[in-house]
Amino acid sequence: MKYSTYQSIFPMDLEKMQNVRNERRAQFVRTISNSLLPKLLILVIVAWIAGAGVLTVFAAPSVSNEEVAKLIVQHGDTLWQIASNHKPERMDTRVYIEGIVRINGLEDRGVQAGQVLKLPHF
């Protein structure tokens, strides 16, 4: 019996096989880095921009400008009084005041007689 232990009947050049495997691996890495990586990067950027656009659309106020009530501040009025008179029934007055400040772009919490305020609609 010529082959008594497990051995292939074909001679193997292990070093050559290892070199071929390494060359294929290097070629695969070059293919990925040369063609797929830039495309993947562009795809991620486009998806990020599209996602930011969608979030911006959903973050926009849902009430049009025509539906926002306007109020002329009278002498002696405060934001607290205005908010407590116009807020929804179960809403905290402080939350409604924040809405008034945000929608009108007020830098301080004071209001003056004759000032026109937009009242948010919740």
Side-chain angles (χ1 to χ4, degrees), residues 50-61:
V54 168
L55 289 177
T56 303
V57 167
F58 285 118

Side-chain angles (χ1 to χ4, degrees), residues 13-48:
D13 186 0
L14 294 178
E15 187 175 316
K16 183 178 178 183
M17 289 176 62
Q18 187 69 29
N19 288 340
V20 168
R21 187 179 299 146
N22 287 340
E23 180 59 33
R24 286 182 183 165
R25 192 175 292 144
Q27 183 181 7
F28 177 73
V29 169
R30 281 192 304 269
T31 302
I32 293 293
S33 64
N34 289 340
S35 65
L36 290 180
L37 192 60
K39 290 176 185 175
L40 183 62
L41 184 62
I42 290 171
L43 181 66
V44 167
I45 291 171
V46 168
W48 181 64

Side-chain angles (χ1 to χ4, degrees), residues 25-122:
R25 192 175 292 144
Q27 183 181 7
F28 177 73
V29 169
R30 281 192 304 269
T31 302
I32 293 293
S33 64
N34 289 340
S35 65
L36 290 180
L37 192 60
K39 290 176 185 175
L40 183 62
L41 184 62
I42 290 171
L43 181 66
V44 167
I45 291 171
V46 168
W48 181 64
I49 291 171
V54 168
L55 289 177
T56 303
V57 167
F58 285 118
S62 60
V63 178
S64 67
N65 289 339
E66 296 88 30
E67 295 179 25
V68 175
K70 293 184 180 181
L71 172 85
I72 299 175
V73 178
Q74 302 299 318
H75 181 71
D77 282 349
T78 63
L79 273 179
W80 187 269
Q81 291 170 337
I82 294 169
S84 51
N85 290 336
H86 294 88
K87 69 178 180 67
E89 185 177 328
R90 295 182 183 255
M91 180 179 271
D92 186 1
T93 305
R94 293 170 293 195
V95 173
Y96 198 76
I97 288 174
E98 288 301 318
I100 293 173
V101 168
R102 183 177 44 88
I103 199 170
N104 289 289
L106 301 177
E107 293 183 16
D108 58 356
R109 303 296 170 123
V111 291
Q112 296 179 0
Q115 184 178 1
V116 178
L117 291 178
K118 298 178 211 170
L119 301 177
H121 176 71
F122 288 97

